[in-house]
Amino acid sequence: MYKSLFLLFLFLLVACLPYHAANQVAPTMSDNSAVSPGDVLQEINAARTNPRQYAVYLEQLRPLYKGKYLTKPGQVTLVTKEGAQALEEAIRFLKSTTAVPSLTLSTAMSRAALDHVQEQGWNGKTGHQGKGGSTPDKRLARYGAWQHTIGENISYGSETARDIIIDLLIDDGVPDRGHRANIFNADYKVTGIAYGPHSRYGSICVILFAGGFVDK
């Protein structure tokens, strides 16, 4: 039925980091990077400021689902955990949620995100913990002081900025929809974004969020 079907699980790792301690913070992208921080920021802000309009992009995916299989034009077939059910739930959310203000891109925070992109891109690992037990707050502290609250989303395998944000909004297989919650968290005012190659999944995008950030 599915001849020569390449099965690739879509890894979207939860990143709800509800830190509330104050005062604990142009990245250099890889030459072969197809997605810029500005591209991803534009998609995040489009979703945040006009979620109902952004739902249109998700609605376009409906005919691409067959059971739990999702096949986007020109891409390998993905095996989702929830199928179109997660898509429909995300569409309903976008059509009913309240818009929140745009985020501002922080160069310093983007450097912290790039540290994780470069490390995991080389070693092929996933998750929020990096070398030496580094965590998002520790990586941010290399470049400044975050304020109020922080969070981190990581996406693997997406090749466009829109695909990254759509995948995080659908949040397939993540019961609490933590990635979506981060994107629509009104307490976040600034973000750091980096994208690059990943030795196992092809690409990685790290998105850091904070209530504020003071550069070193």
Side-chain angles (χ1 to χ4, degrees), residues 45-194:
N45 285 339
R48 282 172 64 99
T49 60
N50 196 342
R52 190 173 184 84
Q53 177 60 39
Y54 207 83
V56 172
Y57 302 132
L58 277 69
E59 290 174 329
Q60 294 170 355
L61 297 178
R62 281 174 170 151
L64 306 183
Y65 279 85
K66 293 189 182 301
K68 291 189 176 181
Y69 296 98
L70 171 61
T71 306
K72 297 178 183 178
Q75 299 185 26
V76 298
T77 294
L78 304 178
V79 182
T80 68
K81 293 184 178 180
E82 301 175 64
Q85 177 181 341
L87 172 70
E88 296 299 339
E89 192 269 335
I91 292 170
R92 290 194 298 272
F93 170 86
L94 291 172
K95 288 185 173 182
S96 62
T97 197
T98 302
V100 291
S102 296
L103 297 174
T104 299
L105 186 66
S106 162
T107 299
M109 288 179 64
S110 294
R111 291 190 180 115
L114 184 60
D115 285 349
H116 204 49
V117 164
Q118 292 179 330
E119 179 185 326
Q120 289 199 336
W122 175 80
N123 62 30
K125 294 183 178 180
T126 61
H128 301 286
Q129 184 168 310
K131 184 178 179 180
S134 75
T135 52
D137 58 319
K138 293 178 180 177
R139 292 190 286 273
L140 284 170
R142 298 168 186 166
Y143 302 100
W146 59 268
Q147 299 174 321
H148 311 304
T149 183
I150 63 171
E152 180 179 75
N153 283 354
I154 307 178
S155 171
Y156 300 91
S158 294
E159 298 179 356
T160 70
R162 181 158 297 166
D163 280 347
I164 289 167
I165 301 309
I166 287 176
D167 290 343
L168 293 170
L169 290 172
I170 295 173
D171 233 359
D172 177 69
V174 182
D176 66 357
R177 310 302 192 206
H179 299 94
R180 184 194 304 162
N182 276 345
I183 290 173
F184 279 94
N185 189 334
D187 292 332
Y188 294 143
K189 310 298 183 184
V190 292
T191 183
I193 302 168

